[in-house]
Amino acid sequence: MFPILENCSVPISEIIAVEETEFNKKQRNIGRWQKMAKLHAFTVFYVKKARNHRWRCSDVTFWCVDEHLCNQWIQALKELLEMQRSRPKHLLVYINPYGGKRQGKRIYEQKVAPLFSLASISTDVVITEHANHAKDNLFEVNIYKYDGVVCVGGDGMFSEVMHGLIGRMQKDSGIDQNNPKASLVQCNIRIGIIPAGSTDCICYSTVGISDPVTSALHIIVGDCQPLDVSSVHHNNTFLKYSVSLLGYGFYGDILKDSEKKRWMGPMRYDYSGFKTFLSHHYYEGTIAYQPAKQTHGSPRDKESCRTGCCICKKSEKELAEKNQEHGLKHEEGEEEWKVIKGKFLAINAVNMSCACPRSPKGLSPAAHLADGSADLILVRKCSRFDFLRYLVRHTNQDDQFDFPFVDVYRVKCFQFTSKLSEDNESNVMDIGKKRFGQFCRDHPACCCNIVNSTWNCDGETLDSSAIEVRVHCQLMKLFARGIEENCKDEAACSQSSTEQLL
Ligand SMILES: Nc1ncnc2c1ncn2[C@@H]1O[C@H](COP(=O)(O)OP(=O)(O)OP(=O)(O)O)[C@@H](O)[C@H]1O
Ligand SMILES: CCCCCCCCCCCCC/C=C/[C@@H](O)[C@H](CO)NC(=O)CCCCC
Ligand SMILES: [Ca+2]
């Protein structure tokens, strides 16, 4: 530990940079010392932890009359920083200039680039020109020369970069992504997210705040957070990967409607959310799932996944053991499938809590970032009033699973088929249904919808309603450390710039 203030210390791992400091006439409070001797100085830039998981760059300048001593300090600190092997030196950065409030470029240039430069991180920056630019580019560039990839944008931009990196790893290893049973190759090139989107759920759920400076500092100090990734297939065809929400019904319908309103920016979700809530459509279908191991906790647990989470650590250990015994057949083949049929307002599968500024505890507050499982939430047909009560509980401390129409399961894989596609497949769909289009023939005033909803996969729509989903434990890694328990001693570290005499 390196002493900074009388009652505050900073671990070496949270020092951003050390620089020799030129004497500046404005440094008035050391003027008395300067009259006595020529002063030498160095400045230590470090992470200052503020409220609500926010990080800032603070600095302290040390003055000293002995030039040799001053240089020894600089040298020693720089050597200690060099020993921080997990820190990135060279990054590939993709900026979506059109995400969220269209501030991505400004946020990167004004808030992030100066910090990367202070930390001596070199970057290759690509400003995307169209959707899928980043993803396609990741199949062409020499990704192995970078210590990480940074995306500046929202969840959609992150999803692009993740698809590019995971896809590239599988291609380079000869793995067929269309095989739903394939053991995918882990991606060790970390992704950093600089939030500049509309929901920024992945950043918020893995860092605890959606703040570009905080995220830049997590990248600089070289944090590493493994992340579960779900693969989504239809008929042995790969559709997408998902890390946050796979939602059918309510969240699928919101997304579909909101895509037409992109010009509204982040407000589009409030507008489409309200419209979708009023439409109150439910959908019939069948879900089959394999439960996750009970030792891995339950979605009804009171404790949430936090930095150093023991459930995620246990999963990491089990994954390493499983990788050693490769060649053995997959566990899911041996375990029982549970089947549920019903009418649902929403089917949500989340790999993480999905906390975001709209819902600070998320869709499943006890979901784990890296336990190899997803929480499957089934919201059955209920009244509008009950559904509103359910939604409101996402914004307060009450338990959103404590309703008779809500079920939640921790799963490692699941399949969904809509009633409509079951009927289509078994050829029992009568002509009447076709002729009456999208409304229920028997109950024209009811909200039963005989068309399918669409799946919302991390903010993008999927073409197929029948899907097969499997969670891949810790398939990728982020420059993050999970959500930290709140810092008890924030006041002690609250100065933003200080001076000390050695
Ligand atoms: N230059 C570009 N022009 C148009 N679309 C782009 C461009 N670059 C990236 N995209 C696409 O824009 C989509 C949305 O971007 P992004 O996720 O950054 O913002 P958002 O949708 O506002 O935020 P969120 O995903 O958090 O709701 C991404 O799926 C990405 O593929
Ligand atoms: C009366 C008040 C009721 C308020 C209820 C609030 C509940 C909010 C829960 C928000 C859950 C977000 C889940 C994250 C999904 C992201 O992968 C995705 C991509 O960014 N965002 C959306 O689909 C955008 C989804 C937007 C939902 C509004
Ligand atoms: Ca998980």
Side-chain angles (χ1 to χ4, degrees):
M1 300 280 257
F2 179 73
I4 295 256
L5 294 170
E6 245 177 79
N7 56 354
C8 182
S9 63
V10 174
I12 292 292
S13 61
E14 287 173 12
I15 289 180
I16 298 157
V18 180
E19 275 184 0
E20 194 177 347
T21 313
E22 289 297 313
F23 178 72
N24 174 351
K25 290 252 158 45
K26 282 181 199 155
Q27 241 94 39
R28 279 184 297 268
N29 47 352
I30 46 92
R32 188 163 55 90
W33 293 91
Q34 219 259 331
K35 279 179 199 147
M36 288 157 54
K38 181 170 171 6
L39 279 180
H40 302 275
F42 66 92
T43 301
V44 176
F45 298 88
Y46 64 98
V47 170
K48 184 187 83 179
K49 296 186 182 180
R51 258 172 238 289
N52 299 327
H53 312 286
R54 191 181 298 276
W55 283 14
R56 283 291 171 264
C57 173
S58 193
D59 61 87
V60 55
T61 300
F62 293 84
W63 300 88
C64 152
V65 285
D66 183 342
E67 184 179 10
H68 181 63
L69 178 64
C70 184
N71 287 337
Q72 272 186 318
W73 269 100
I74 297 173
Q75 191 57 28
L77 286 170
K78 286 199 165 167
E79 276 167 21
L80 283 170
L81 287 184
E82 269 302 305
M83 284 160 65
Q84 306 292 305
R85 294 271 172 245
S86 60
R87 290 189 178 208
K89 288 192 164 68
H90 193 37
L91 294 171
L92 175 58
V93 181
Y94 292 103
I95 304 175
N96 176 3
Y98 302 115
K101 295 183 185 149
R102 304 181 165 220
Q103 297 294 305
K105 198 160 168 284
R106 187 190 62 81
I107 287 172
Y108 181 75
E109 282 164 3
Q110 294 182 5
K111 300 187 172 184
V112 180
L115 287 171
F116 283 174
S117 147
L118 177 69
S120 305
I121 295 175
S122 61
T123 51
D124 288 336
V125 179
V126 179
I127 297 173
T128 60
E129 284 162 12
H130 51 87
N132 288 326
H133 184 166
K135 186 180 137 201
D136 296 344
N137 192 248
L138 280 162
F139 278 87
E140 287 157 16
V141 294
N142 174 13
I143 50 169
Y144 303 103
K145 73 175 183 186
Y146 297 104
D147 304 310
V149 180
V150 172
C151 57
V152 184
D155 296 325
M157 194 55 198
F158 168 81
S159 174
E160 245 199 56
V161 168
M162 171 182 76
H163 279 83
L165 269 183
I166 298 180
R168 173 72 185 270
M169 289 323 279
Q170 310 317 310
K171 185 172 169 243
D172 290 358
S173 314
I175 306 271
D176 177 12
Q177 291 188 104
N178 285 321
N179 175 4
K181 300 256 177 319
S183 280
L184 300 178
V185 170
Q186 273 182 306
C187 176
N188 290 318
I189 300 175
R190 285 167 289 175
I191 304 181
I193 308 171
I194 302 295
S198 301
T199 318
D200 297 323
C201 149
I202 300 157
C203 177
Y204 196 99
S205 303
T206 54
V207 173
I209 188 168
S210 167
D211 174 61
V213 171
T214 305
S215 291
L217 294 171
H218 280 282
I219 296 171
I220 289 170
V221 303
D223 274 345
C224 183
Q225 172 64 53
L227 211 58
D228 295 335
V229 178
S230 288
S231 57
V232 187
H233 287 82
H234 170 74
N235 275 351
N236 288 322
T237 305
F238 169 73
L239 298 180
K240 275 249 179 293
Y241 292 116
S242 164
V243 287
S244 56
L245 167 69
L246 251 174
Y248 189 81
F250 187 64
Y251 288 104
D253 294 350
I254 291 184
L255 184 74
K256 197 161 185 193
D257 189 71
S258 70
E259 282 300 299
K260 295 175 253 165
K261 309 273 178 326
R262 270 211 164 261
W263 56 268
M264 288 174 98
M267 278 278 291
R268 68 189 186 278
Y269 290 133
D270 299 312
Y271 171 83
S272 300
F274 186 60
K275 237 178 106 181
T276 308
F277 170 75
L278 289 181
S279 71
H280 199 64
H281 282 149
Y282 61 83
Y283 301 89
E284 280 195 75
T286 307
I287 292 147
Y289 69 90
Q290 282 192 321
K293 277 191 199 162
Q294 299 220 322
T295 48
H296 285 204
S298 138
R300 305 295 299 269
D301 286 342
K302 290 284 163 269
E303 282 84 42
S304 313
C305 181
R306 289 291 176 262
T307 307
C309 169
C310 24
I311 289 186
C312 295
K313 282 218 171 110
K314 198 153 101 183
S315 298
E316 189 172 0
K317 213 171 137 235
E318 285 171 5
L319 182 67
E321 285 162 8
K322 197 176 136 204
N323 285 346
Q324 273 186 342
E325 305 157 9
H326 63 273
L328 289 182
K329 66 182 169 103
H330 291 301
E331 296 161 48
E332 62 256 36
E334 294 145 21
E335 276 172 42
E336 190 195 351
W337 284 83
K338 311 252 183 211
V339 179
I340 299 172
K341 273 180 187 282
K343 296 174 179 173
F344 305 100
L345 281 167
I347 298 169
N348 298 325
V350 297
N351 268 357
M352 55 173 69
S353 69
C354 285
C356 61
R358 275 191 180 79
S359 170
K361 60 177 185 170
L363 293 177
S364 187
H368 288 269
L369 293 171
D371 64 341
S373 73
D375 288 353
L376 179 63
I377 306 157
L378 307 180
V379 186
R380 291 170 186 276
K381 181 185 163 190
C382 63
S383 69
R384 269 196 190 82
F385 179 65
D386 276 344
F387 191 55
L388 181 65
R389 283 170 65 214
Y390 165 72
L391 289 179
V392 169
R393 287 197 188 177
H394 290 79
T395 63
N396 61 30
Q397 288 313 305
D398 296 339
D399 181 359
Q400 65 252 53
F401 301 137
D402 188 17
F403 285 111
F405 54 89
V406 179
D407 295 314
V408 59
Y409 309 96
R410 189 151 282 177
V411 306
K412 52 186 188 178
C413 53
F414 73 93
Q415 293 174 357
F416 172 77
T417 331
S418 70
K419 171 94 171 16
L420 190 65
S421 44
E422 274 170 9
D423 288 354
N424 273 342
E425 268 168 35
S426 54
N427 246 353
V428 292
M429 192 175 170
D430 64 43
I431 315 267
K433 266 185 189 171
K434 280 182 191 153
R435 196 179 299 146
F436 281 88
Q438 70 181 78
F439 295 104
C440 175
R441 179 163 49 103
D442 303 327
H443 319 94
C446 87
C447 305
C448 168
N449 207 348
I450 64 160
V451 291
N452 284 331
S453 175
T454 36
W455 281 97
N456 172 342
C457 177
D458 290 358
E460 281 182 71
T461 48
L462 294 183
D463 292 333
S464 172
S465 64
I467 57 169
E468 194 179 322
V469 179
R470 186 151 75 95
V471 186
H472 298 262
C473 186
Q474 310 197 356
L475 189 63
M476 52 159 302
K477 296 185 172 80
L478 288 186
F479 284 109
R481 57 171 69 168
I483 299 176
E484 288 185 291
E485 298 291 351
N486 267 331
C487 175
K488 311 131 268 160
D489 204 15
E490 285 150 356
C493 305
S494 64
Q495 289 97 325
S496 64
S497 180
T498 25
E499 285 162 4
Q500 299 276 295
L501 276 164
L502 283 175

